[in-house]
Amino acid sequence: MKIWLDGGLQDIESARVSVFDHGLTVGDGIFETVKAVDGRPFALTRHLDRLTRSAVGLGLPEPDHDEVRRACAAVVAANPMPLGRLRITYTGGHGPLGSDRGEHGPTLVVALGETTRRPDSTAVITVPWTRNERGALTGLKTTSYAENVVALARAHQHGATEALFANTVGRLCEGTGSNVFVVLDGEIHTPPVASGCLAGITRALTVEWTGAKETDLPLDALERAEEVFLTSTLRDVQAVHRVDDRELPGAPGPVTAKAMRIFEERSGDDLDP
């Protein structure tokens, strides 16, 4: 296995990042997960644009898109696989043990791991913790992910693959690594970015390609929805057959099935939409 670190490919056994890297010590970093199909990254331009938005929001230097593209190309070429999770990590670099940044500059790591196609439907739970729609990191894809780790562990304990959050005012927000859509009266709705959710790449494409509406929704919309589905880089569009103790029989329902079909067709026609 080869990864990109410090400007070139390295063996995974010998690649090392400093124990004083701010991405480790204080979670001062950002990342993107990109789907790679037969060595071809999907929607890489959109992912790089969001990487830059996250860097600016965190106060990091803007990443060099050309370098990141070279790194991605080198890593997927060195590690052939049918379906991969391409992970771009960009941190504040070597720094002091406190919150102040050092002067060494950012660290860029690109790695690839093999994955498999997701099932057509899954189970989710809601959790008692909230997303802060007014926080300093809201809308940024940062490496400060421990909150998601805790929530996802609870989901697994309840036989689910995702946990859904409300925000601080009780509105439906997002999952630990996904965006959520609900079907109400035959129409597709998803929480707006103002709810505190991440502006997901797959979310944006699904909205564009299906005409879904961005709607401020109460958390109990999950109890009323005829259908529920998730979107993310590796899920694409995935139906939900259970929310907490509520079963949604026949998932994927007709609206979700159409959205799944549209996304598969459109993404297959254009690898960098």
Side-chain angles (χ1 to χ4, degrees), residues 242-262:
R242 176 169 59 85
V243 180
D244 293 328
D245 294 327
R246 183 193 176 206
E247 298 288 341
L248 291 102
V255 177
T256 302
K258 183 178 179 180
M260 294 168 72
R261 185 171 62 254
I262 289 171

Side-chain angles (χ1 to χ4, degrees), residues 125 150 152-160:
I125 65 165
V150 171
L152 189 58
R154 174 174 287 205
H156 290 161
Q157 290 166 4
H158 288 82

Side-chain angles (χ1 to χ4, degrees), residues 20-23 25-26 28 59-61 91-106:
F20 295 107
D21 192 287
H22 249 211
T25 57
V26 296
D28 179 25
L60 293 172
T91 79
H94 187 287
L97 290 175
S99 297
D100 292 328
R101 290 196 175 111
E103 304 295 330
H104 293 261

Side-chain angles (χ1 to χ4, degrees), residues 190-208:
T190 193
V193 172
S195 70
C197 69
L198 184 71
I201 305 303
T202 308
R203 171 191 180 276
L205 292 171
T206 301
V207 169
E208 291 175 23

Side-chain angles (χ1 to χ4, degrees), residues 211-228:
K213 298 178 179 180
E214 296 182 89
T215 309
D216 190 27
L217 299 163
L219 185 63
D220 68 8
L222 294 169
E223 300 171 9
R224 297 181 284 109
E226 298 121 47
E227 302 174 36
V228 178

Side-chain angles (χ1 to χ4, degrees), residues 40-71:
R40 299 173 298 171
F42 176 70
L44 183 58
T45 297
R46 288 180 183 250
H47 281 285
L48 294 182
D49 288 344
R50 189 173 63 183
L51 187 74
T52 295
R53 292 195 300 272
S54 294
V56 170
L58 211 57
L60 293 172
E62 294 189 18
D64 182 336
H65 284 200
D66 290 338
E67 180 187 9
V68 180
R69 285 183 183 275
R70 286 195 302 273

Side-chain angles (χ1 to χ4, degrees), residues 12-248:
I12 193 169
E13 293 83 5
S14 58
R16 296 289 182 269
V17 173
S18 170
V19 295
F20 295 107
D21 192 287
H22 249 211
L24 170 66
T25 57
V26 296
D28 179 25
I30 56 177
F31 76 98
E32 288 289 322
T33 299
V34 183
K35 180 173 65 173
V37 181
D38 294 325
R40 299 173 298 171
F42 176 70
L44 183 58
T45 297
R46 288 180 183 250
H47 281 285
L48 294 182
D49 288 344
R50 189 173 63 183
L51 187 74
T52 295
R53 292 195 300 272
S54 294
V56 170
L58 211 57
L60 293 172
E62 294 189 18
D64 182 336
H65 284 200
D66 290 338
E67 180 187 9
V68 180
R69 285 183 183 275
R70 286 195 302 273
C72 290
V75 169
V76 296
N79 304 286
M81 59 186 66
L83 183 62
R85 177 196 301 262
L86 187 62
R87 164 80 180 229
I88 304 164
T89 305
Y90 185 76
T91 79
H94 187 287
L97 290 175
S99 297
D100 292 328
R101 290 196 175 111
E103 304 295 330
H104 293 261
T107 299
L108 172 65
V109 180
V110 178
L112 184 67
E114 191 163 13
T115 188
T116 57
R117 178 179 167 83
R118 52 90 182 113
D120 282 343
S121 72
T122 192
V124 304
I125 65 165
T126 55
V127 290
W129 310 294
T130 59
R131 288 293 201 226
N132 181 1
E133 70 280 3
R134 299 174 62 188
L137 302 183
T138 301
L140 308 182
K141 195 169 180 66
T142 77
T143 58
S144 299
Y145 235 54
E147 183 176 75
N148 294 323
V149 172
V150 171
L152 189 58
R154 174 174 287 205
H156 290 161
Q157 290 166 4
H158 288 82
T161 69
E162 183 58 300
L164 301 181
F165 293 89
N167 62 17
T168 64
V169 292
R171 314 304 282 181
L172 181 62
C173 188
E174 64 177 350
T176 67
S178 67
N179 292 106
V180 59
F181 288 71
V182 298
V183 179
L184 299 167
D185 297 325
E187 292 188 329
I188 305 174
H189 299 264
T190 193
V193 172
S195 70
C197 69
L198 184 71
I201 305 303
T202 308
R203 171 191 180 276
L205 292 171
T206 301
V207 169
E208 291 175 23
W209 292 344
T210 69
K213 298 178 179 180
E214 296 182 89
T215 309
D216 190 27
L217 299 163
L219 185 63
D220 68 8
L222 294 169
E223 300 171 9
R224 297 181 284 109
E226 298 121 47
E227 302 174 36
V228 178
F229 64 84
L230 306 176
T231 62
S232 75
T233 290
L234 294 175
R235 293 178 190 267
D236 292 335
V237 176
Q238 185 182 37
V240 171
H241 61 252
R242 176 169 59 85
V243 180
D244 293 328
D245 294 327
R246 183 193 176 206
E247 298 288 341
L248 291 102

